Every structure is written in C-alpha cells, then in structure tokens.
Amino acid sequence: MRTVASFLLGLLALVAVAGAAPGLWFERNIVDESGYVALVGPLGDDPEFRTALADTVADAVVSDTGLDGVAGRAAEGVVRRVADGMTDLSGFDAAWAETNTLSHRLNVTDMPPAELDGRLGVDLSPMVDLVVDAANRRLGTQLQGPRDLVVAVGTPEQRDAVDRLRELAPWSWVLAGAAVLLFAGAVAAARRRGTALVLLGLWLRSR
C-alpha cells in the first residue's frame, strides 16, 4: 500500500510540475519587466528586424519634419542613413533597453492606448529620439520627430492570450508549492526513500 501511495503522490507531483513550469517561465520572462527586457533584447541584433526597425523610425521622422524641396530631400537622406546605422550609435543600447521597458508597460503593466485597437504595441519613441539627435548633429539643424511612436503588432487574439496568461501565471506558484508537498509525501510514503529521491531527481533532470 505504501508503494502505491508513493507512486500516486509522485505522479501527481510530476503533473503539478508540468503544469507549473510554463506559467513560471511566462511570469519570469514576460510578466517580470527585467526578464522581458532580457528576453527581447537580442532582437536588436537580428539583421531583418534591424532593417524593419530602421525603416519604421525613418518614415516616422521624415513625415514629421515638415521640410520639403531640396532641404527636405537632404534631411531625409541623412535621417535614413542614420536610421540604417542606428545600431552603431553610442546610445543605441540604452535606447533599445528603454524601448523594451516602455513596450513591456504597454503590453503587460498598463492599460493599452486606444490606438492599438486591442493589439500588442512597441513603443519606439526612444529610437526616434536617438535618430533625430544624431541627424541634427550631422545637419546642424533642429529637426523635430514625433513625440510618441507606438506601433501596433500582432492581433487582438494574441493580446487576449497574453492577458489571460498574465492572470493565470501567479497560480503557477500554487502548483509549484503543491508539487513540493506531493514530492515530500511521495518520499515519506516510499519504502525506500533514497530510491524514490533518485528516481524523482532523474525525471526532473530529464525535463
């Protein structure tokens, strides 16, 4: 009987761990601001993403300068060159980290602005400031980019999924606590506690 009880408790503990692990990952890497910033930070090194980022920022700055004619074309050329090379600017790392911090607040912490239409958002305002400052230094001008640049991404369904997971994530700690208690019960009920500990440990390492 003790062997059966130990087996059942151990099985329930493993089920609890399997249920808790995704939620704990989500809370550590998505809900937590520092975890989110660390997770999405490497996107700044992706060439395809950098190209899309540069085009988006440059388009926003150029459309907001109010310049036309020869001056407008000259300014646009400089802005686009600066945007294309923004990852080489000295302030890029700080601006990119701030972008991800602000985007986390848009998607996880704060109420999303109405213009996102229920979608996820990326706040590129720090990148705009970086490009405008660098372009002004090269041009000797005082161009003004948009004060805020929030770009909607994904679908409303994806936003809903993030919101649901954010609400459920704290329950992962309950499952994790239950798993600990069940593991302890399984070991206590086992006839050979050392063997039970080894088997449970091997299973966890295999995950």
Side-chain angles (χ1 to χ4, degrees):
M1 184 61 104
R2 289 182 60 184
T3 301
V4 174
S6 177
F7 172 79
L8 290 177
L9 288 171
L11 183 61
L12 289 173
L14 298 179
V15 171
V17 168
L24 293 174
W25 182 94
F26 185 85
E27 185 164 14
R28 184 173 62 251
N29 294 285
I30 302 298
V31 176
D32 180 74
E33 184 178 287
S34 60
Y36 176 88
V37 172
L39 178 69
V40 301
L43 271 176
D45 298 325
D46 180 82
E48 186 174 343
F49 178 81
R50 287 204 306 261
T51 298
L53 176 64
D55 290 342
T56 301
V57 172
D59 289 344
V61 173
V62 168
S63 66
D64 209 64
T65 59
L67 297 177
D68 53 18
V70 176
R73 288 193 295 274
E76 178 178 355
V78 171
V79 167
R80 293 196 180 280
R81 285 194 295 274
V82 170
D84 287 340
M86 71 169 70
T87 55
D88 296 325
L89 297 176
S90 60
F92 174 79
D93 290 341
W96 180 234
E98 185 180 0
T99 288
N100 293 327
T101 298
L102 295 174
S103 299
H104 177 271
R105 294 171 187 171
L106 276 178
N107 298 320
V108 180
T109 308
D110 301 335
M111 290 293 293
E115 59 265 28
L116 288 180
D117 293 325
R119 300 161 68 190
L120 298 169
V122 180
D123 192 332
L124 296 177
S125 304
M127 310 309 300
V128 169
D129 293 340
L130 179 71
V131 169
V132 169
D133 289 346
N136 280 331
R137 286 196 298 272
R138 297 187 187 186
L139 290 166
T141 57
Q142 293 295 323
L143 298 179
Q144 297 292 323
R147 296 189 61 181
D148 298 299
L149 178 59
V150 175
V151 179
V153 296
T155 65
E157 290 76 18
Q158 290 171 332
R159 172 87 199 203
D160 289 341
V162 169
D163 289 341
R164 286 196 300 271
L165 288 170
R166 182 188 59 190
E167 293 171 358
L168 292 173
W171 289 98
S172 299
W173 291 102
V174 177
L175 282 175
V180 172
L181 293 176
L182 289 167
F183 274 130
V187 173
R191 290 184 180 277
R192 297 181 178 180
R193 295 176 181 177
T195 301
L197 279 173
V198 170
L199 291 175
L200 290 173
L202 288 174
W203 187 90
L204 287 174
R205 289 190 63 182
S206 70
R207 309 317 292 170

